[in-house]
Amino acid sequence: QSVLTQPPSSSGTPGQRVTISCSGSSSNIGSNYVYWYQQVPGTAPKLLSYRNDQWPSGVPDRFSGSKSVTSASLAISGLRSEDEADYYCAAWDDSLSGWVFGGGTKLTVL
Amino acid sequence: QVQLQQWGAGQLKPSETLSLTCAVYGGSFSGYYWNWIRQPPGKGLEWIGEINHSGSTNYNPSLKSRVTISVDTSKNQFSLKLNSVTAADTAVYYCARDFRYIGMDVWGQGTTVTVSS
C-alpha cells in the first residue's frame, strides 16, 4: 500500500489530453513539493517534473502539473505514442522523514 | 554529464546480506543526497534511504532495522547493505542523486537482485 495514491491505469488516444492524479496527506503533499517520474518499462525512472510544476530541460511543454492542498495532478496534452509509460508521483514526508512514492499509473496510448 | 554506475551481487540466499555500491562519475559528490530505491517485479518504486557527503542518513522506517547506507567520499561512492534478506527483497535496486527541491535527477542503471534458496 503506497503512501501516495494514484490510479493504476489511464489511457487516451493520440492528440487527446489525459490527467493523472496523486493524493496524499498533510505530512507529504500538503507541506512539501510534488515530483513526477516517468518510467518506460525495463529502464530507470526519469525525472519529469519538480517543485510541483517545474520541468527539466527537454521535457515537452505538452506536460503540465498542479498541486492543491494534499493532491496533485499531471496533465499531458496532445498525447503521443512515446508518452506510453508508467508515471509516479513523489513527495517528502515530514512524519516519515523520507521520500514516499505513489503506486504508479500505467499510461496506455490507444 | 554526471553518471551513476552501480554494481553488486545479483543472486542471494535467504538470510544473506545484500550489498550494492554506486559510483558517481563526472560531477561533484558534495551538496547532494544519494539515494537507494527499489522496485519489486511488476510493482512500484519504494524508497530505501539516503545519505549526504558528510554521512548524514535517512531511512525508510519499514526497512530501517536492516539497512545501512554508507559513503566513501575519497572514491565518490556510496553503498547499500540490507541484511537478513528474504524473497520479498527481490527487486531491481536503483541508486539516484537528489538535489534538494530538484528531485532525483540522475539514476543508475539498476541492479536486479534475486533472493532464492
Side-chain angles (χ1 to χ4, degrees), chain B residues 93-115:
Chain B
Y93 286 74
Y94 294 101
C95 57
R97 181 182 83 168
D98 168 35
F99 190 27
R100 279 295 192 256
Y101 308 129
I102 301 295
M104 297 180 200
D105 62 339
V106 182
W107 291 67
Q109 78 275 21
T111 300
T112 299
V113 176
T114 302
V115 181

Side-chain angles (χ1 to χ4, degrees), chain A residues 33 35 37 39 43-47 50-51 88 92 96-103, chain B residues 35 37 39 43-45 47 50 58-59 61 94 98 100-105 107-108:
Chain A
Y33 292 120
Y35 301 78
Y37 296 89
Q39 184 181 34
T43 68
K46 167 191 165 186
L47 178 66
Y50 61 98
R51 291 190 212 164
Y88 295 90
W92 182 264
L96 300 175
S97 293
W99 291 101
V100 290
F101 285 93
Chain B
N35 290 255
I37 301 99
Q39 185 171 34
K43 296 189 177 180
L45 302 172
W47 179 75
E50 65 178 10
N58 289 300
Y59 296 128
Y94 294 101
D98 168 35
R100 279 295 192 256
Y101 308 129
I102 301 295
M104 297 180 200
D105 62 339
W107 291 67

Side-chain angles (χ1 to χ4, degrees), chain A residues 16 21 23-24 27 29 34 51 59 62 70-71 81 85 87 93 99 103 107:
Chain A
Q16 203 172 18
S21 63
S23 178
S27 64
I29 294 178
V34 175
R51 291 190 212 164
V59 176
R62 301 183 293 102
T70 58
S71 294
S81 58
Y87 292 84
D93 191 294
W99 291 101
L107 175 63

